[in-house]
């Protein structure tokens, strides 16, 4: 198989992952009125944990206490990231939520790069955020913005925990175990009789598939076929895809100013991931 074909396949995998995650978030928002935000989080993480448990069959013996502490922290990051993001989606449009979320990984990229040029990209992202929050739109509530920014901060912690788990655990075992931990953490908050409704279960399964199982698998396969930097640049487009998902599924219109703010943050992310870290 030629290198060009590998590249085409890899781009296709990333684009599929790009579509999957944001549309999963949009479908999740449709369930909020029925079971609440915490109920949707519980459904997503529990079903995703069961799927990963069945597929990965992770080994549970032979690990040290430090390994289990890492899994616990990884699980807390997964639970916190999903809970905060869904509370944000319940309050403000999906596109701005994801735009504010990606600030977490962006800050992580800037800090780890340790180059002066990285701060230029941080400034561009700050301009996008200032433009977004300075519009005075009543759709962008302080609570929604706060939840989205907090989700971004936890997302950065998730990235670091995921990288460490990938080094200590074989295959996707670390992710599977962390997903189980996240499901256990969130279950008491969202469990209820409404979750056993057949329609709710079907929609919850769709959310878990679109938001967790499918994108994680596609991203893993894509990373085996393309450089990490190229992958990160393509994934920087996720706020734009989220805005499209919000429009198609939730009928959320974006203003020109909000679109420009999202474009600035996307440009900042692309620039940050392309800035090589210092040795």
């Amino acid at each position: 198989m030629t290198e060009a074909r590998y590249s085409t396949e890899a781009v296709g995998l990333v684009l599929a992952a790009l579509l999957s995650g944001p549309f999963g978030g949009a479908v999740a928002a449709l369930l909020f009125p029925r079971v609440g935000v915490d109920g949707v989080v519980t459904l997503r993480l529990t079903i995703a944990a069961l799927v990963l448990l069945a597929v990965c069959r992770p080994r549970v013996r032979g690990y040290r206490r430090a390994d289990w502490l890492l899994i616990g922290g990884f699980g807390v990051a997964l639970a916190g990231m999903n809970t905060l993001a869904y509370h944000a989606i319940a309050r403000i449009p999906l596109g701005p939520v994801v735009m504010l979320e990606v600030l977490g990984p962006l800050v992580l990229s800037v800090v780890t790069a340790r180059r002066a040029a990285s701060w230029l990209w941080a400034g561009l992202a700050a301009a996008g955020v200032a433009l977004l929050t300075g519009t005075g739109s009543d759709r962008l509530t302080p609570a929604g913005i706060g939840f989205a920014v907090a989700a971004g901060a936890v997302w950065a912690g998730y990235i670091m925990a995921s990288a460490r788990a990938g080094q200590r655990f074989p295959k996707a075992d670390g992710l599977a175990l962390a997903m189980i931990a996240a499901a256990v953490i969130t279950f008491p908050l969202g469990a209820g009789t409404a979750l056993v409704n057949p329609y709710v279960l079907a929609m919850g399964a769709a959310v878990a598939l679109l938001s967790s199982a499918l994108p994680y698998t596609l991203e893993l396969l894509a990373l085996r076929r393309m450089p990490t930097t190229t992958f990160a640049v393509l994934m920087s487009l996720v706020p734009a895809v989220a805005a499209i998902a919000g429009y198609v599924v939730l009928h959320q219109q974006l203003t020109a100013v909000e679109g420009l703010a999202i474009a600035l943050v996307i440009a900042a992310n692309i620039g940050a991931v392309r800035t090589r870290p210092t040795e």
Side-chain angles (χ1 to χ4, degrees), residues 173-271:
D173 285 12
L175 174 62
L177 293 170
M179 192 69 74
I180 294 170
V184 170
I185 291 168
T186 58
F187 190 81
L189 299 175
T193 56
L195 300 186
V196 298
N197 178 283
Y199 171 80
V200 171
L201 283 174
M203 291 288 282
V207 171
L209 178 65
L210 289 170
S211 299
S212 297
L214 189 57
Y216 294 155
T217 302
L218 292 171
E219 290 166 13
L220 180 64
L221 293 173
L223 281 168
R224 292 174 179 171
R225 292 167 166 81
M226 67 165 51
T228 304
T229 302
T230 305
F231 172 83
V233 169
L234 290 171
M235 291 302 293
S236 295
L237 300 175
V238 69
V241 179
I244 295 171
Y247 175 77
V248 172
V249 179
L250 304 174
H251 310 294
Q252 296 173 341
Q253 300 280 352
L254 274 185
T255 67
V257 172
E258 290 169 348
L260 177 58
I262 290 173
L264 289 175
V265 172
I266 290 174
N269 271 276
I270 292 173

Side-chain angles (χ1 to χ4, degrees), residues 28-279:
L30 297 176
L31 277 177
F32 292 162
R34 282 179 171 262
V35 296
V37 174
D38 293 327
V40 177
V41 173
T42 296
L43 269 177
R44 170 183 170 175
L45 294 179
T46 300
I47 294 174
L50 291 174
V51 170
L52 287 172
L53 181 63
V55 172
C56 299
R57 299 182 181 273
R59 179 170 59 89
V60 295
R61 294 182 180 178
Y63 297 118
R64 299 173 299 175
R65 181 171 179 269
D67 297 327
W68 288 113
L69 287 175
L70 173 59
I71 290 298
F74 195 0
V76 169
L78 273 168
M81 181 175 65
N82 283 280
T83 300
L84 292 166
Y86 279 12
H87 274 284
I89 293 171
R91 289 166 171 80
I92 61 177
L94 184 59
V97 167
V98 177
M99 188 206 88
L100 292 168
E101 272 191 284
V102 300
L103 294 178
L106 172 61
V107 170
L108 184 63
S109 295
V110 169
V111 172
T112 55
R114 299 191 301 274
R115 295 180 67 94
S118 298
W119 294 102
L120 296 176
W121 302 119
L124 184 62
V129 173
L131 187 63
L132 181 71
T133 57
T135 59
S137 172
D138 56 0
R139 300 191 308 163
L140 302 179
T141 65
I145 292 171
F147 276 119
V149 172
V154 179
W155 190 356
Y158 158 82
I159 291 172
M160 293 186 288
S162 179
R164 292 182 62 189
Q167 295 171 353
R168 295 192 188 185
F169 294 84
K171 301 179 181 178
D173 285 12
L175 174 62
L177 293 170
M179 192 69 74
I180 294 170
V184 170
I185 291 168
T186 58
F187 190 81
L189 299 175
T193 56
L195 300 186
V196 298
N197 178 283
Y199 171 80
V200 171
L201 283 174
M203 291 288 282
V207 171
L209 178 65
L210 289 170
S211 299
S212 297
L214 189 57
Y216 294 155
T217 302
L218 292 171
E219 290 166 13
L220 180 64
L221 293 173
L223 281 168
R224 292 174 179 171
R225 292 167 166 81
M226 67 165 51
T228 304
T229 302
T230 305
F231 172 83
V233 169
L234 290 171
M235 291 302 293
S236 295
L237 300 175
V238 69
V241 179
I244 295 171
Y247 175 77
V248 172
V249 179
L250 304 174
H251 310 294
Q252 296 173 341
Q253 300 280 352
L254 274 185
T255 67
V257 172
E258 290 169 348
L260 177 58
I262 290 173
L264 289 175
V265 172
I266 290 174
N269 271 276
I270 292 173
V273 298
R274 290 181 64 86
T275 300
R276 295 182 180 276
T278 56
E279 299 296 334

